[in-house]
Amino acid sequence: LKDEDVASVFTEMEPDDRVSLLDELPASVATRLLQALSPSERDLTATVLGYPEGSIGRRMSPEYVTAHPHLTAEETLGRVRAGLAGAETVYTLPVVDDRRRLVGVVGLRDLMSATPDHLVADLLDEPHSARATDDAETAARWCADLRLLALPVVDDEGRLVGILTVDDALRILEDAESEDQARIGGSEPLRRPYLATPVLAIVRSRVVWLLVLAVGATLTVQVLEVFEATLAQKVTLSLFIPLLIGTGGNTGNQAATTVTRALALGDVRPRDVLAVLARELRVGLSLGLVLGAVGFVVAGLAYGAPIGAVIGLTLLSICTLAATVGGVMPLVAKTLRVDPAVFSNPFITTFVDATGLLVYFLIARAVLGL
Amino acid sequence: LKDEDVASVFTEMEPDDRVSLLDELPASVATRLLQALSPSERDLTATVLGYPEGSIGRRMSPEYVTAHPHLTAEETLGRVRAGLAGAETVYTLPVVDDRRRLVGVVGLRDLMSATPDHLVADLLDEPHSARATDDAETAARWCADLRLLALPVVDDEGRLVGILTVDDALRILEDAESEDQARIGGSEPLRRPYLATPVLAIVRSRVVWLLVLAVGATLTVQVLEVFEATLAQKVTLSLFIPLLIGTGGNTGNQAATTVTRALALGDVRPRDVLAVLARELRVGLSLGLVLGAVGFVVAGLAYGAPIGAVIGLTLLSICTLAATVGGVMPLVAKTLRVDPAVFSNPFITTFVDATGLLVYFLIARAVLGL
């Protein structure tokens, strides 16, 4: 039975039969079988192997050359030359033991600079690796952060199942960042370069979010309606509406953008929610004290001390509220398995607008005795 | 005179003397001298060589192994082995002619799979390269987009002066993206991971922008003051202020974020300003027609046809204005050599808030005959 025969039988099997077979086979044979599949068949098999949508198991390449600790540099270079054609990269070689467990990596330049009879065991580096079930973006980010040319991917038992090369990692990161940025701006990512995208497609990528946000913003109309009598009594209060909700929106966006970026970089995880809450509460209070003091003085000089007090107290409350909500929202989104960027700036602005107005008029009524 | 002696004399020279000397020397000697300098001295020399702040000339490595078209694969592999220790990478080799002009690149794997007497001239690939004076972020983006392990850097005469490796490109891109994202959110980038940054440093990264934006937002107070009499006559008008400026802000942010990202990816250049203007005008008009129609119906049902007409017409105008301003602003910023992200979302929101209110009250006065 030749490789191609096995491959053709394997290709024709149903994905779930394939996985039962794979479970029975040694990992090395399984990997060889996977290599024979077309990309779409491979994706199908990845599903059945249990690699979830968006996992690195779906994006890794099964085409690599392995090194072994007990072989010499020269023998390994021979393997490299023999495997060159079919491998995604040969500049970083995963080193596996006899049971196919990843024990390290070795760089081609280290093999080339070593004496021919040097053992791979003495040349190998620490084995950074990702699990096949890990999130693709996280694994790609890790590959980029560690400045690796390739990151080995292992299964739950630590056996090598694939390799992520830096160029594939870059592709994953670029897509993820375009998506994040579009969502932070409140639109869907474009699938083509901007100038090559039809105007109608651009309109479509934005209009749904705009309508959703506009519906959300009717909340602000309703809040103001409740206070319509107060507004009629004291029209001056309406002058500050854009300034107050604008500052709230800016404060919320700052917090959301910082935390969203920290999430993408892996500096913050969803379980850090309390730490983030505590920090943003203090940041928001500090910002509120500064802006509130300035607001009190400026508005007080222009419209009298009572209005100054209302504006100062409202800015203090809004900044604290906005920073806290803005900082925590991306973590909540991540926990709910929603893209944190979706839940970010425009949504936070809308939410902070409505609650900020409520706070504003409650403070105004209390201070001005309306 | 040994290399070290020359290097030590060279190190002690003033940077401007150095560059006069470099002008007189063949490029190969100049490169060797640059290699002997410490990073800070090298940066100094880069200045004098005319590589501007933020250019790739400041970030490239002068440590590489070159290949030559008339050498064989075997001879070149020998050069690689000899140069391994001092080179930044040997996986992509720049190929230069006798006058040190870049004529191509050759991958180590191609050298390894070729027969030993194969000439480099027959193995080399198209020479993608950056100019040393090119913007560092643009060059890094290019290296990443082309999925290159290394991008050769040349001077104005096409002579090789350095190499940008993918790991350095990744570092440049990551810094640039953290900065962009922070600025889109209206704050300064943090220099440390979020949870490791002191609260005071976070406050400092945000407070200046918040104050600047709050000062800008006093423009909205002034606009409303002009229309205080109109507001007193028709308090209902104040109910829609947050909804209208919120929609304007969202529309502007969508356009700004899309164009900022397109700029970063190199899909759009500053000279495309008219094309962007034309597209965003059409996108804004389309969005305005949809939102205006919905606004007319909803506000008309709730507050009567005249108010409905005011809201509908205002949404149409604001969406058109916001998309156009939001799309063009990043290009204006780039032309003025300001980070496009600085000029983006929060600034556009503030600007659109003030002009949007002006439009709103002018339309309201005309339609309602106030």
Side-chain angles (χ1 to χ4, degrees), chain A residues 77 80-81 84-85 87-91 107-109 112-113 141 144-145 147 149 166-167 170-171 174 177-178 180-182 184-187 190 193-199 202-203 206-207 209-211 213-214 217-218 220-221 224-225 228 231-232 235-236 238-243 245 247 250-251 253-255 257-259 261-262 265 267-268 272 275-276 279-280 282-283 286-287 290-291 294 303 319 323 345-346 350 353 357, chain B residues 77 80-81 84-85 87-91 107-109 112-113 141 144-145 147 149 166-167 170-171 174 177-178 180-182 184-187 190 193-199 202-203 206-207 209-211 213-214 217-218 220-221 224-225 228 231-232 235-236 238-243 245 247 250-251 253-255 257-259 261-262 265 267-268 272 275-276 279-280 282-283 286-287 290-291 294 303 319 323 345-346 350 353 357:
Chain A
L77 284 172
V80 167
R81 274 179 218 272
L84 269 179
E88 184 89 355
T89 180
V90 291
Y91 297 147
L108 183 59
R109 61 186 290 172
M112 289 180 73
S113 62
R141 169 71 56 196
D145 281 352
R147 326 282 171 209
L149 293 183
V166 67
D167 52 317
L170 284 173
R171 200 166 290 138
E174 200 174 274
E177 261 145 31
S178 288
D180 273 11
Q181 294 232 339
I184 282 175
S187 57
L190 302 176
Y194 175 74
L195 289 178
T197 310
V199 167
I202 300 182
V203 172
R206 300 184 190 171
V207 73
W209 282 115
L210 272 191
L211 283 170
L213 293 168
T218 57
T220 60
V221 180
L224 286 177
E225 226 174 11
E228 203 169 354
L231 270 170
V235 175
T236 314
S238 67
L239 306 187
F240 294 96
I241 292 176
L243 174 87
I245 64 179
T247 304
N250 290 333
T251 312
N253 287 351
Q254 287 180 334
T257 313
T258 314
V259 174
R261 180 71 184 161
L265 291 176
D267 292 344
V268 165
D272 297 320
V276 171
R279 315 199 109 217
E280 289 301 332
R282 286 156 66 201
V283 171
S286 313
L287 294 173
V290 175
L291 272 94
V294 174
Y303 302 90
C319 286
N345 303 6
T350 307
D353 281 2
L357 287 172
Chain B
L77 284 172
V80 167
R81 271 178 221 272
L84 269 178
E88 184 88 356
T89 180
V90 291
Y91 297 147
L108 184 60
R109 61 186 289 173
M112 288 179 74
S113 62
R141 168 71 56 196
D145 281 353
R147 326 281 170 211
L149 293 183
V166 65
D167 52 319
L170 285 174
R171 200 167 289 137
E174 200 174 274
E177 261 146 28
S178 287
D180 272 12
Q181 294 232 339
I184 282 176
S187 56
L190 301 176
Y194 176 74
L195 289 177
T197 311
V199 168
I202 300 184
V203 172
R206 299 185 191 172
V207 73
W209 282 115
L210 271 192
L211 283 171
L213 293 168
T218 57
T220 60
V221 180
L224 286 177
E225 226 175 8
E228 204 168 352
L231 270 170
V235 174
T236 314
S238 67
L239 305 187
F240 293 95
I241 292 176
L243 173 85
I245 65 179
T247 304
N250 290 333
T251 311
N253 287 350
Q254 287 180 334
T257 313
T258 313
V259 174
R261 180 70 184 162
L265 290 176
D267 291 345
V268 165
D272 297 321
V276 172
R279 314 200 110 216
E280 289 301 333
R282 286 155 67 201
V283 171
S286 313
L287 294 172
V290 176
L291 271 93
V294 174
Y303 302 91
C319 285
N345 303 5
T350 307
D353 282 3
L357 288 173

Side-chain angles (χ1 to χ4, degrees), chain B residues 71-83:
Chain B
L71 294 183
T72 65
E74 194 175 18
E75 287 165 333
T76 308
L77 284 172
R79 282 178 66 97
V80 167
R81 271 178 221 272

Side-chain angles (χ1 to χ4, degrees), chain B residues 135-352:
Chain B
D135 176 61
E137 190 183 336
T138 309
R141 168 71 56 196
W142 205 20
C143 179
D145 281 353
L146 294 171
R147 326 281 170 211
L148 301 175
L149 293 183
L151 181 71
V153 182
V154 298
D155 66 12
D156 290 342
E157 276 96 51
R159 287 173 307 189
L160 187 70
V161 291
I163 196 158
L164 174 70
T165 54
V166 65
D167 52 319
D168 289 334
L170 285 174
R171 200 167 289 137
I172 293 170
L173 286 178
E174 200 174 274
D175 291 348
E177 261 146 28
S178 287
E179 208 168 276
D180 272 12
Q181 294 232 339
R183 298 234 165 105
I184 282 176
S187 56
E188 284 303 304
L190 301 176
R191 297 285 161 219
R192 281 189 272 177
Y194 176 74
L195 289 177
T197 311
V199 168
L200 203 66
I202 300 184
V203 172
R204 225 180 296 126
S205 76
R206 299 185 191 172
V207 73
V208 176
W209 282 115
L210 271 192
L211 283 171
V212 169
L213 293 168
V215 170
T218 57
L219 200 62
T220 60
V221 180
Q222 286 160 350
V223 169
L224 286 177
E225 226 175 8
V226 173
F227 297 102
E228 204 168 352
T230 314
L231 270 170
Q233 242 179 302
K234 196 85 190 165
V235 174
T236 314
L237 288 177
S238 67
L239 305 187
F240 293 95
I241 292 176
L243 173 85
L244 293 174
I245 65 179
T247 304
N250 290 333
T251 311
N253 287 350
Q254 287 180 334
T257 313
T258 313
V259 174
T260 301
R261 180 70 184 162
L263 266 173
L265 290 176
D267 291 345
V268 165
R269 278 153 305 179
R271 65 161 181 260
D272 297 321
V273 63
L274 285 182
V276 172
L277 186 75
R279 314 200 110 216
E280 289 301 333
L281 196 65
R282 286 155 67 201
V283 171
L285 259 172
S286 313
L287 294 172
L289 283 170
V290 176
L291 271 93
V294 174
F296 169 69
V297 172
V298 174
L301 287 175
Y303 302 91
I307 291 282
V310 172
I311 300 304
L313 287 172
T314 305
L315 281 171
L316 174 62
S317 320
I318 282 184
C319 285
T320 311
L321 176 82
T324 316
V325 172
V328 170
M329 280 289 241
L331 297 175
V332 172
K334 187 86 177 181
T335 307
L336 299 176
R337 293 178 170 277
V338 179
D339 182 347
V342 166
F343 246 127
S344 76
N345 303 5
F347 265 107
I348 289 167
T349 304
T350 307
F351 177 80
V352 169

